[in-house]
Amino acid sequence: MGKLQKIEGPSADYDSELRLLQIELVKAQRQIISSGAKLLVIFEGRDTAGKDGTIKAVTEHLSPREAHVIALGIPTAHESGEWYFQRYVAELPSSGEIILFNRSWYNRAGVEKVMGFCTKPQYDQFMATVNEFESLLVGSGIQLIKYYLDIDKQEQVRRMESRKTDPLKQWKVSPIDQQAQKKWKAYSEARDLMLKKTSTADAPWTVVDANNKKLTHLNLIRDLLSRVNYPDKNQKILKLDSGIVMPCPPLRKKSPKVAP
């Protein structure tokens, strides 16, 4: 991926535009509940890319009984001895539910790989099986949508410095975040390989330029709504900025060998 373009300030109509989109989200959730659909949305991205704020914008007015944000911590000793996907499976959506993962099983393809928290065989095993795992989820009736929020290196520096001085953001400062700049290239390489190898027809990735938080919120919600089926959809407010929301091409499956 090339360097992300810095996007200038959002329109003064952000609040009103967000409200209209959140009304659409409530309409979509009503349909998911009534139809018994299952929606799983994965949020991955750079440190400080704004996953928390984007998820909040999505869920702010949804029914908390049927919409849940999952942000799993470091696995316990017991969980470390389980099948890697096991603790995530326990959090998958049931009928009528929306589940949003704030980071997911893709920790293994990003943070764990770069920081040395997993072995090479563990990483290789993950990359060899995650596509099949996600195909099984989709085949079971779960709608799976995957977003990767990306920012440029200078914006990450600015946001990290803001965290250090803002008393309301102190909980976001961690030793791993402090390695983000030092390991920028390694994270970039891990990201590129992950997007290339795990964007499939069943579960493609969508990259979101997150340099401007408000435009990120509006455009990601528009993209999300465009993928969910519900009645009385207001198509007029779902126009995407193609410079912000960028679908990844799905991985091409190898053609089967034909006997001579």
Side-chain angles (χ1 to χ4, degrees):
M1 291 179 59
K3 183 178 180 181
L4 293 172
Q5 182 180 1
K6 180 70 174 179
I7 300 186
E8 298 302 324
S11 70
D13 296 327
Y14 169 73
D15 290 337
S16 59
E17 289 183 40
L18 180 61
R19 175 176 170 77
L20 290 175
L21 291 170
Q22 289 176 331
I23 291 172
E24 292 295 299
L25 285 168
V26 171
K27 289 160 61 176
Q29 185 185 34
R30 186 184 304 126
Q31 175 63 19
I32 288 171
I33 293 171
S34 64
S35 67
K38 306 170 187 176
L39 178 60
L40 175 61
V41 188
I42 285 176
F43 291 83
E44 291 288 342
R46 296 271 192 186
D47 291 322
T48 75
K51 294 180 291 297
D52 294 337
T54 304
I55 291 171
K56 181 180 178 180
V58 172
T59 61
E60 186 174 9
H61 296 290
L62 298 182
S63 168
R65 288 185 298 274
E66 293 87 9
H68 306 283
V69 178
I70 306 300
L72 298 182
I74 298 172
T76 64
H78 179 75
E79 289 171 334
S80 295
E82 298 175 342
W83 174 47
Y84 177 70
F85 294 104
Q86 191 163 331
R87 68 187 188 131
Y88 295 103
V89 169
E91 307 294 345
L92 293 175
S94 184
S95 177
E97 285 188 332
I98 300 172
I99 299 295
L100 303 98
F101 274 119
N102 186 345
R103 294 201 183 277
S104 66
W105 43 80
Y106 283 102
N107 272 331
R108 179 136 295 178
V111 173
E112 291 188 20
K113 173 180 170 59
V114 173
M115 297 299 296
F117 296 156
C118 68
T119 65
K120 187 177 186 303
Q122 287 174 330
Y123 169 80
D124 291 341
Q125 174 69 7
F126 170 82
M127 294 296 284
T129 58
V130 64
N131 292 344
E132 183 178 1
F133 171 69
E134 291 179 350
S135 290
L136 288 171
L137 297 184
V138 173
S140 73
I142 294 174
Q143 182 177 6
L144 174 57
I145 301 175
K146 302 188 301 192
Y147 292 109
Y148 187 91
L149 277 59
D150 214 349
I151 54 176
D152 62 38
K153 195 172 184 179
Q154 293 71 31
E155 178 64 13
Q156 188 181 69
V157 170
R158 190 190 70 77
R159 293 185 186 183
M160 286 183 170
E161 290 303 314
S162 174
R163 286 183 177 184
K164 292 177 183 178
T165 57
D166 188 338
L168 296 178
K169 297 180 180 179
Q170 290 297 301
W171 63 273
K172 292 187 174 185
V173 179
S174 72
I176 292 178
D177 288 348
Q178 293 169 7
Q179 293 292 317
Q181 285 281 300
K182 294 179 181 178
K183 296 183 180 292
W184 180 270
K185 183 178 179 181
Y187 272 113
S188 296
E189 292 173 349
R191 172 206 61 195
D192 291 349
L193 187 59
M194 180 189 76
L195 295 176
K196 179 181 178 181
K197 297 294 186 181
T198 65
S199 189
T200 65
D202 285 335
W205 280 103
T206 298
V207 176
V208 181
D209 182 334
N211 279 298
N212 184 294
K213 293 182 180 181
K214 292 184 177 180
L215 291 181
T216 298
H217 300 168
L218 296 177
N219 281 277
L220 187 146
I221 293 174
R222 289 172 186 145
D223 183 78
L224 178 60
L225 289 167
S226 70
R227 297 168 184 250
V228 178
N229 293 322
Y230 61 95
D232 302 319
K233 183 181 293 189
N234 186 353
Q235 297 284 0
K236 294 181 180 179
I237 64 173
L238 301 185
K239 185 178 180 181
L240 293 170
D241 186 330
S242 60
I244 298 178
V245 177
M246 298 162 279
C248 290
L251 179 69
R252 291 184 179 181
K253 293 184 179 180
K254 294 182 180 179
S255 300
K257 292 182 179 180
V258 179

